[in-house]
Amino acid sequence: MARVSTKQYPQPSINADVVASHGLSKEEYQTIVKILGREPNYTELGVFSVMWSEHCSYKSSKPHLKLLPTDGPAVLQGPGENAGIVDIGNGLAAVFKMESHNHPSFIEPYQGAATGVGGILRDIFTMGARPVASLNSLRFGGFDHPRTPYLLGGVVAGIGGYGNCVGVPTVGGELFFDESYNANILVNAFALGIAEKKRIFKGRASGVGNSLIYVGAKTGRDGIHGATMASEAFSAESEKRRPTVQVGDPFTEKLLLEACLELMKGDCLVGIQDMGAAGLTSSAVEMAARGESGVELDLSRVPLRERGMTPYEILLSESQERMLLVAKKGRESEVQRIFERWDLDAVVVGKVTRERKFRAVFDGAEVACIPIAALTSEAPVYNRPAERPQSQDELQKLDLEKIEEPKDLGAILKLLLDSPNVASKEWVYRQYDHFVRSNTVVMPGSDAAVIRIKGTAKGLAITVDGNSRYCYLDPYVGGILAVAEAARNLACVGARPLGLSDCLNFGSPERPDVMWQFSQVIQGMRDACITLGVPVVSGNVSFYNETDGVPIYPTPTVAMVGLLPKVERFVTPWFKSPGDMVVLLGRNREELGGSEYLKVVHGMVKGTPPWIDLRLERAVQHSCLKAIEKGIIRSAHDMSEGGLGVALAECSISGPEKAVGVRVELREMMRADARLFGESQSRIIVSLKGKDLSRLREIAAKEGAPMQVIGEVGGSHLVVHPLIRLAVDELKSIWSGSLERRLNKGLKG
């Protein structure tokens, strides 16, 4: 390490405008002065700015996140590390996490989405896991908004371009359109990897004198203050922030992945951390905090791809495909040889120290000296005011008697199948490689993706879900429903949940109404997780998703991972054979609040979300699971947007073979549109052989789940007597081509 001399490195002066431009309040700046016992220099101000940002510090969300259950029988690592880890047996572990890349993707859709994929993959292989699957949750504005086609095309291309090159299959996800995202899209990326339980690595800097080694790509000026930007609301000036968007190189990422996994086979490594948000600063600081140590960096040694970079720029750059690792003293050359073989930089840039400080030098001059605790455990935490808005009462008022029932329900079903929120997403996922590594068993388009765990008879199911309209109307219930639907999706393929990762996307935490939404969603998720037995093992909070003072809908996305003891027992949503019986697990209710039908047909987002009883939800899920495990069920499909009508259509038309008809009769006495298009929860449509009906009845009765036989598979039409009779080939044509037709129209326009 370079010795610290008495010479001073020239730094820009600091004034009130400079402090404000770093996203720090006057009060926070005074706290910094008090901590240091002096005025910070410009570089130190930058370090505090990124480490105290919402993106890195969780300063507004910490008090609420503590309420979520994080323990469970399978949990090996909960929140606090690069990713969560659950035990999947056979000496193996599943490592997974979801994160947001919202603001960068709006400013530069291709690179924003691509680097979101790259970043989440690094979080996974940093833990010693080989990534085996990716998913994404995407939210865009209305299709009539002029930027939506451009943003959609760029984001999808970025996800596919990066993931396909790295060789990690994108096996599923979700896509939703709503005007609330016109000026603030959401791009949430999820990745899962498989690791040996005995070879799991963590982001810790320990062992005084051990070397800090920078590995991977060189550092440039891209991404500087990306963490700070992610902690700010958008405005008309946001387009000018392109320099804060990182640029990714998937080919370098692939080399980095293989080099890291090779290194992890040996005995050189103490800790390792991705240089993600806040770059070298956050990786060094967070590793030191976890290791209860300090770090000293010589920034003159950092590999650079641009001349004249300042210490400030080096520390805050968010250039991609970089890692910081701690190697055992005397083993540095072994590390360097491995990375040189993969044509990657591996440079000793610092060391672990006893003094619990973050110290950085440049050209022999000290440019930063800050207590580690000041940047981590002692960073500001705010109990922000939370207040239910008065407008919520009016929002929840919905008088069904004042809503005219449509006469042609068949026309309504076709209209819903043509809605971009319901229509097939094939245009999106056919741009992704979902077969690479040959583990994929159930591809995109089902309730959940399924991948094979090689070397075992097991499989992992993965899904991502969340309905922001429900959270807008009632955030507590919306939080419950996000968790419940994700777990239901797993049940439909035959998997039992092991854990979840969440990405919580909200407006400004400085708004009491937003904090009320956030706190209510957390409470709902907590209650659902406890009742359904699903721990939260990792996640991310993304605040300041608003533009010119208008926030997005509160949008918690839930990615859930489940285990199939026998992967060959997986189930898909589409009907299999004529003559199979169609059964409804759960019960229909007369409710239309927050439904896709209400929005598409009546132009309304009002009412309350569907009622849910978590005990009933558990009973329905367990009935479906046990029946699948016993080999009774031939198809299973969750009911979500569009209700029973859309679910029946999807069961008929979503399969890889020719569409197959179904005849159904509904007995409930209620409005016809509510019967067909209401989105009542805790419902699953299953099909099975007639001879297995008695066995299913036994299972459902034992679990306490309502069950009724509603129809039979067969013919060329979807018939819901006496309401609908439509040719399934026509429905498939509408559903399968809708998204591409709209996109092409938008791009031409």
Side-chain angles (χ1 to χ4, degrees):
M1 291 294 298
R3 290 192 176 185
V4 179
S5 74
T6 56
K7 72 177 183 179
Q8 296 293 310
Y9 181 83
Q11 305 227 30
S13 59
I14 297 174
N15 56 38
D17 290 340
V18 171
V19 172
S21 71
H22 281 72
L24 294 164
S25 68
K26 293 178 181 179
E27 294 76 17
E28 287 173 335
Y29 182 74
Q30 290 305 315
T31 302
I32 292 169
V33 172
K34 185 177 180 180
I35 289 170
L36 297 178
R38 56 176 172 81
E39 299 283 330
N41 62 40
Y42 188 73
T43 300
E44 291 170 331
L45 185 73
V47 169
F48 274 105
S49 169
V50 293
M51 294 306 299
W52 284 14
S53 68
E54 287 285 356
H55 194 81
C56 291
S57 74
Y58 293 82
K59 58 188 177 185
S60 298
S61 57
K62 272 184 179 178
H64 302 279
L65 296 176
K66 291 177 180 178
L67 298 175
L68 295 172
T70 57
D71 294 323
V75 177
L76 300 175
Q77 175 65 57
E81 268 289 346
N82 292 301
I85 308 176
V86 295
D87 192 339
I88 56 176
N90 299 87
L92 301 174
V95 181
F96 57 94
K97 189 181 181 182
M98 183 163 57
E99 280 199 341
S100 62
H101 230 226
N102 303 334
H103 286 21
S105 299
F106 182 80
I107 295 171
E108 177 48 64
Y110 185 96
Q111 290 295 347
T115 52
V117 173
I120 200 65
L121 291 176
R122 289 194 297 280
D123 281 340
I124 301 307
F125 68 78
T126 295
M127 307 289 292
R130 178 174 290 279
V132 295
S134 294
L135 288 86
N136 48 75
S137 172
L138 310 176
R139 301 286 198 287
F140 294 93
F143 244 111
D144 57 350
H145 191 276
R147 282 180 61 86
T148 294
Y150 160 73
L151 292 168
L152 173 62
V155 166
V156 170
I159 293 169
Y162 203 100
N164 296 352
C165 288
V166 175
V168 178
T170 302
V171 298
E174 64 165 351
L175 176 62
F176 191 82
F177 300 87
D178 190 274
E179 292 80 2
S180 98
Y181 308 105
N182 278 351
N184 198 128
I185 66 173
L186 301 183
V187 176
N188 296 174
F190 170 91
L192 176 144
I194 304 293
E196 295 181 40
K197 281 173 60 179
K198 63 183 180 182
R199 304 199 69 80
I200 290 172
F201 295 85
K202 297 185 179 180
R204 296 182 182 178
S206 59
V208 175
N210 282 337
S211 293
L212 296 173
I213 303 181
Y214 172 117
V215 301
K218 289 178 169 55
T219 294
R221 289 188 170 95
D222 54 317
I224 293 174
H225 267 298
T228 307
M229 182 192 71
S231 306
E232 298 175 348
F234 271 157
S235 69
E237 299 295 307
S238 296
E239 283 279 2
K240 300 177 181 178
R241 303 290 295 275
R242 287 181 185 270
T244 62
V245 179
Q246 311 94 323
V247 178
D249 179 359
F251 300 102
T252 300
E253 178 103 340
K254 175 63 173 175
L255 298 177
L256 184 61
L257 185 159
E258 298 299 343
C260 287
L261 293 181
E262 181 180 337
L263 175 66
M264 291 167 174
K265 292 177 182 177
D267 191 33
C268 303
L269 196 58
V270 175
I272 182 170
Q273 176 102 346
D274 167 42
M275 294 190 208
L280 181 57
T281 293
S282 66
S283 57
V285 169
E286 290 172 3
M287 291 178 78
R290 297 190 192 109
E292 299 182 345
S293 63
V295 291
E296 184 176 325
L297 298 171
D298 186 349
L299 304 181
S300 306
R301 298 185 179 188
V302 173
L304 305 178
R305 69 167 186 261
E306 299 182 54
R307 292 184 178 182
M309 289 187 67
T310 65
Y312 179 100
E313 292 172 325
I314 295 168
L315 281 173
L316 271 61
S317 167
E318 295 183 7
S319 294
Q320 298 291 284
E321 294 84 41
R322 305 178 299 157
M323 296 280 196
L324 187 66
L325 57 87
V326 179
K328 293 180 179 178
K329 199 170 183 177
R331 310 290 292 275
E332 295 89 350
S333 60
E334 295 177 51
V335 175
Q336 289 171 324
R337 279 197 298 271
I338 289 173
F339 282 88
E340 285 169 4
R341 252 195 329 268
W342 291 96
D343 198 27
L344 294 168
D345 284 314
V347 181
V348 177
V349 296
K351 63 182 180 181
V352 180
T353 62
R354 183 172 283 106
E355 187 182 26
R356 296 184 183 180
K357 289 186 177 181
F358 172 76
R359 191 184 301 272
V361 301
F362 185 73
D363 285 345
E366 185 176 89
V367 294
C369 184
I370 305 171
I372 293 292
L375 298 171
T376 54
S377 61
E378 296 176 7
V381 176
Y382 298 125
N383 285 296
R384 303 251 190 212
E387 184 178 341
R388 184 180 188 271
Q390 293 183 351
S391 58
Q392 206 71 28
D393 290 335
E394 184 61 31
L395 194 63
Q396 293 182 344
K397 289 180 181 177
L398 180 64
D399 187 350
L400 291 184
E401 293 184 0
K402 294 181 179 179
I403 297 175
E404 185 179 356
E405 288 191 64
K407 295 178 181 178
D408 189 345
L409 294 169
I412 299 301
L413 178 57
K414 289 191 281 187
L415 193 64
L416 287 171
L417 291 174
D418 189 50
S419 164
N421 292 332
V422 172
S424 169
K425 308 305 186 294
E426 185 180 0
W427 178 87
V428 174
Y429 59 72
R430 74 177 179 221
Q431 299 183 54
Y432 305 150
D433 189 337
H434 37 267
F435 281 120
V436 63
R437 306 198 64 81
S438 67
N439 293 328
T440 310
V441 178
V442 176
M443 296 183 295
S446 293
D447 291 303
V450 178
I451 60 170
R452 184 180 290 104
I453 305 172
K454 285 189 174 178
T456 77
K458 301 175 181 177
L460 288 173
I462 325 159
T463 188
V464 59
D465 222 311
N467 188 309
S468 55
R469 282 192 199 134
Y470 295 164
C471 295
Y472 173 63
L473 295 172
D474 189 323
Y476 172 75
V477 177
I480 292 175
L481 297 182
V483 174
E485 184 163 353
R488 201 181 316 134
N489 286 338
L490 295 185
C492 286
V493 299
R496 295 180 179 272
L498 295 173
L500 71 82
S501 183
D502 56 42
C503 198
L504 308 175
N505 308 273
F506 289 78
S508 169
E510 299 167 45
R511 296 172 56 124
D513 58 330
V514 169
M515 284 309 298
W516 173 77
Q517 291 173 336
F518 183 80
S519 64
Q520 289 292 298
V521 163
I522 293 291
Q523 288 282 355
M525 291 179 61
R526 175 186 180 274
D527 290 349
C529 286
I530 291 172
T531 301
L532 300 177
V534 189
V536 180
V537 300
S538 61
N540 170 238
V541 177
S542 177
F543 277 132
Y544 294 99
N545 290 288
E546 62 179 60
T547 301
D548 295 330
V550 180
I552 63 166
Y553 282 169
T555 311
T557 56
V558 173
M560 197 174 291
V561 177
L563 184 68
L564 288 86
K566 296 180 179 179
V567 70
E568 74 272 10
R569 286 281 175 88
F570 73 87
V571 170
T572 51
W574 51 88
F575 295 138
K576 300 301 184 295
S577 302
D580 287 350
M581 306 307 295
V582 180
V583 172
L584 171 66
L585 293 173
R587 60 170 65 93
N588 299 321
R589 294 172 56 89
E590 190 174 63
E591 45 194 355
L592 289 172
S595 64
E596 184 74 4
Y597 162 78
L598 203 62
K599 175 68 187 299
V600 170
V601 178
H602 298 283
M604 301 169 61
V605 180
K606 286 183 70 69
T608 57
W611 172 87
I612 185 168
D613 179 339
L614 284 168
R615 293 169 298 178
L616 174 63
E617 180 69 44
R618 186 173 56 194
V620 168
Q621 290 186 23
H622 285 187
S623 297
C624 185
L625 276 166
K626 289 184 178 180
I628 291 173
E629 289 169 356
K630 293 183 180 295
I632 297 171
I633 300 298
R634 306 197 73 203
S635 75
H637 189 29
D638 166 45
M639 272 174 266
S640 54
E641 287 84 7
L644 179 62
V646 165
L648 286 168
E650 290 173 338
C651 291
S652 292
I653 64 180
S654 64
E657 308 297 333
K658 184 176 170 58
V660 58
V662 63
R663 183 177 177 85
V664 168
E665 187 165 351
L666 302 178
R667 302 183 184 92
E668 295 92 349
M669 297 299 295
M670 64 178 74
R671 298 175 52 120
D673 52 356
R675 270 192 289 176
L676 280 175
F677 310 123
E679 296 173 7
S680 297
Q681 298 295 291
S682 311
R683 295 185 298 168
I684 298 174
I685 293 176
V686 302
S687 67
L688 68 166
K689 296 288 187 184
K691 63 181 179 62
D692 292 322
L693 276 173
S694 60
R695 297 172 68 192
L696 180 60
R697 284 197 179 94
E698 289 175 8
I699 294 169
K702 188 174 181 179
E703 294 294 330
M707 169 191 158
Q708 58 174 308
V709 179
I710 61 172
E712 183 177 337
V713 177
S716 59
H717 287 72
L718 187 159
V719 181
V720 182
H721 182 77
L723 305 175
I724 287 179
R725 179 180 175 85
L726 295 166
V728 290
D729 286 344
E730 180 189 6
L731 298 181
K732 186 163 187 172
S733 177
I734 294 169
W735 174 80
S736 61
S738 173
L739 196 60
E740 192 165 3
R741 286 194 301 271
R742 290 171 181 269
L743 185 61
N744 290 338
K745 182 180 178 182
L747 290 173
K748 289 177 182 177

